[in-house]
Amino acid sequence: MDILYAVGALLLAAPALLFIIIILLARKRLGYRSIGVAADWTTLLLFFSVPSAAAAIWNYEASMATYSGALVIAILMLVAEWKQSKEIEIPRLTRKTWRVYFLVLSLAHFLICTAGLLFTFIKFFNS
């Protein structure tokens, strides 16, 4: 059971590992669609990883901000889709929204981890 907790903690700390693992495992079977599958699963992990990273670095609970931001993105994309075409295809809109979440959350995770490293270096060299 400790191994399962360690793997879960590692994936929360580095969701890019899950992305790479899924691509490597699914590449032969799915071809280029494996990137989309990997992005979908990594997005799910990023929804937990980004608030956890913010809490670990700044002691700030960012869950509500993350989920509120996701809701705002979904609303903006729905309005944009509605203005572009009067017929809204829900599966297509959901897939596009989920991929935007992947990009935004990946960028947020990268920036949070980079800031954490910078703060650690600054703290190390100032002491």
Side-chain angles (χ1 to χ4, degrees), residues 2-18:
D2 290 336
I3 293 172
L4 189 60
Y5 288 133
V7 169
L10 177 67
L11 289 177
L12 271 178
L17 286 176
L18 178 68

Side-chain angles (χ1 to χ4, degrees), residues 74 77-78 81-82 85-98:
M77 290 194 66
L78 177 66
E81 185 75 19
W82 175 69
S85 64
K86 298 299 179 188
E87 286 281 328
I88 297 173
E89 297 177 29
I90 299 298
R92 191 170 141 239
L93 176 66
T94 304
R95 189 177 333 109
K96 285 170 52 175
T97 305
W98 196 251

Side-chain angles (χ1 to χ4, degrees), residues 35-51:
I35 295 172
V37 171
D40 292 341
W41 284 101
T42 305
T43 303
L44 183 63
L45 182 64
L46 282 167
F47 268 109
F48 299 106
S49 182
V50 168

Side-chain angles (χ1 to χ4, degrees), residues 25-88:
L25 292 176
R27 173 65 82 184
K28 194 168 205 164
R29 188 167 183 220
L30 298 175
Y32 286 108
R33 289 185 316 162
S34 64
I35 295 172
V37 171
D40 292 341
W41 284 101
T42 305
T43 303
L44 183 63
L45 182 64
L46 282 167
F47 268 109
F48 299 106
S49 182
V50 168
S52 297
I57 294 171
W58 294 298
N59 291 329
Y60 174 71
E61 184 58 43
S63 296
M64 189 56 130
T66 302
Y67 305 139
S68 298
L71 185 61
V72 168
I73 289 171
I75 291 169
L76 291 174
M77 290 194 66
L78 177 66
V79 169
E81 185 75 19
W82 175 69
K83 285 189 178 224
Q84 186 179 20
S85 64
K86 298 299 179 188
E87 286 281 328
I88 297 173

Side-chain angles (χ1 to χ4, degrees), residues 71-127:
L71 185 61
V72 168
I73 289 171
I75 291 169
L76 291 174
M77 290 194 66
L78 177 66
V79 169
E81 185 75 19
W82 175 69
K83 285 189 178 224
Q84 186 179 20
S85 64
K86 298 299 179 188
E87 286 281 328
I88 297 173
E89 297 177 29
I90 299 298
R92 191 170 141 239
L93 176 66
T94 304
R95 189 177 333 109
K96 285 170 52 175
T97 305
W98 196 251
R99 299 290 163 82
V100 169
Y101 290 159
F102 172 74
L103 294 173
V104 170
L105 290 171
S106 294
L107 179 65
H109 192 270
F110 174 76
L111 292 175
I112 289 170
C113 290
T114 302
L117 283 172
L118 285 172
F119 290 147
T120 303
F121 285 141
I122 290 169
K123 193 175 186 180
F124 176 76
F125 287 121
N126 283 340
S127 61

